[in-house]
Amino acid sequence: MTNDRNFDDLAGRFTDNIYGSPKGQIRLAILQEDFDTLLSRYPANTPLKILDAGCGLGNMALYLAQQGHEVVLCDHSAEMLQRAKQLFAEQAPAAKVTFIESPVQTLQQHVKGQFDLVLFHAVLEWVSEPQRTLEGLLRFLRPGGYFSLLFYNRNSLVMRNLLRGNFRKLAAEQFAGDPKSLTPTNPLLPEDVYCWLEAIGLKILSRTGVRIIYDYLSREIRDQRSVEDILEMERRYCRQEAFIALGRYIHVLAQAKV
Ligand SMILES: C[S@@+](CC[C@H](N)C(=O)[O-])C[C@H]1O[C@@H](n2cnc3c(N)ncnc32)[C@H](O)[C@@H]1O
């Protein structure tokens, strides 16, 4: 057991508000591009072993499974895992997939061996001991394997509050979301996360800002522009240094020592 946020009671809202909206569409599109680039390092049709730790609805693992990779999905929320199973049953019934209900911190009790690629997406900001949790995940990464980390960027909350003139909130440094909301309990500072990754011996290969524009747009502008047009701008700027830092999330690809 952990005190980390279990999404059993948030599953419906997460499904609708994130993956049922442009937020999820943009997130998936940008991450898929990063994975396409990463996986092009392997010869075509090389099947990989991939772990999605804190998989939620399993959308990213589905994309990878549909390319013939073997995926293991883990979440401590039975409700999220049930939705992931349903997604796979509908969209990839022949996929090589295993579902495990467990906190990532005790996953070694269920999983033997190591993986070519480990995903840890939008979970670190919900766990009570982020640095130690990251360290624990290393055991699942084979030497030279890749680690895909997506984390919620605290600086993007600062920027949004600056733009809205919420100066009192900034002075009070109130960044944790309400326990019942989809804003995480522990939004993270990028410099902390990069230090943690390097401290455990991972080499950062690339960084991408995810939703560097969308979250700052007014409702009026969101209504006036198509998702495709916004996505085109996200794609254009998301890997440029100045804009990576503004992403609501930052996606880091890192590699374990050989
Ligand atoms: C914001 S969702 C992200 C889901 C998915 N990775 C994605 O990017 O769409 C966070 C997920 O992490 C799960 N989670 C949080 N703490 C966890 C832990 N210690 N072990 C396993 N899953 C955890 C929650 O139940 C939830 O499904």
Side-chain angles (χ1 to χ4, degrees):
M1 282 298 292
T2 68
N3 293 324
D4 301 343
R5 187 65 166 93
N6 181 307
F7 268 45
D8 278 347
D9 60 326
L10 285 178
R13 275 171 54 211
F14 183 72
T15 308
D16 298 342
N17 296 3
I18 305 299
Y19 284 104
S21 81
K23 288 186 177 179
Q25 252 176 285
I26 295 168
R27 172 159 153 180
L28 273 180
I30 299 294
L31 291 180
Q32 285 173 2
E33 279 189 357
D34 281 353
F35 281 118
D36 291 347
T37 306
L38 177 76
L39 298 180
S40 69
R41 290 171 171 236
Y42 291 95
N45 301 322
T46 309
L48 302 177
K49 273 188 73 184
I50 299 174
L51 170 66
D52 189 351
C55 62
L57 306 174
N59 312 67
M60 206 62 246
L62 176 72
Y63 177 72
L64 297 166
Q66 284 171 329
Q67 296 174 44
H69 303 299
E70 183 184 339
V71 292
V72 174
L73 278 71
C74 147
D75 204 291
H76 69 170
S77 159
E79 177 60 35
M80 292 297 260
L81 216 51
Q82 188 47 43
R83 288 173 187 244
K85 281 181 192 169
Q86 196 179 330
L87 184 74
F88 270 74
E90 287 166 7
Q91 301 201 19
K96 286 184 216 136
V97 57
T98 309
F99 298 94
I100 299 174
E101 187 185 328
S102 165
V104 297
Q105 292 88 343
T106 50
L107 186 59
Q108 69 276 17
Q109 295 169 12
H110 310 276
V111 168
K112 300 284 166 258
Q114 294 183 312
F115 294 82
D116 301 296
L117 171 63
V118 174
L119 277 51
F120 198 48
H121 287 182
V123 189
L124 195 63
E125 57 271 18
W126 294 99
V127 304
S128 51
E129 294 184 292
Q131 194 174 359
R132 189 197 277 231
T133 306
L134 271 185
E135 214 174 321
L137 280 172
L138 261 194
R139 63 163 67 84
F140 300 111
L141 205 53
R142 71 158 176 76
Y146 296 103
F147 187 62
S148 167
L149 176 69
L150 180 72
F151 67 91
Y152 193 101
N153 175 17
R154 183 170 142 168
N155 289 334
S156 78
L157 284 182
V158 173
M159 190 63 190
R160 197 182 57 178
N161 280 298
L162 284 171
L163 292 173
R164 290 185 175 178
N166 294 335
F167 300 153
R168 278 205 199 131
K169 195 168 176 180
L170 287 167
E173 303 219 326
Q174 288 169 355
F175 297 113
D178 177 278
K180 292 210 166 72
S181 85
L182 286 172
T183 302
T185 40
N186 185 23
L188 296 160
L189 285 172
E191 58 266 34
D192 288 344
V193 177
Y194 303 149
C195 277
W196 297 339
L197 289 174
E198 277 161 16
I200 57 176
L202 290 174
K203 181 173 173 228
I204 296 177
L205 303 176
S206 68
R207 292 176 301 120
T208 305
V210 176
R211 302 209 317 260
I212 53 164
I213 304 161
Y214 184 82
D215 289 46
Y216 301 106
L217 295 180
S218 64
R219 196 172 292 271
E220 199 187 358
I221 303 283
R222 283 182 189 177
D223 290 345
Q224 286 168 3
R225 301 282 185 272
S226 68
V227 178
E228 290 71 30
D229 285 350
I230 296 173
L231 188 50
E232 192 185 327
M233 291 298 115
E234 297 273 353
R235 285 195 169 108
R236 179 178 297 182
Y237 295 107
C238 67
R239 296 179 185 87
Q240 294 183 23
E241 197 60 43
F243 302 101
I244 294 170
L246 290 178
R248 169 47 50 93
Y249 290 88
I250 296 179
H251 182 219
V252 182
L253 283 171
Q255 187 171 24
K257 286 190 190 118
V258 181

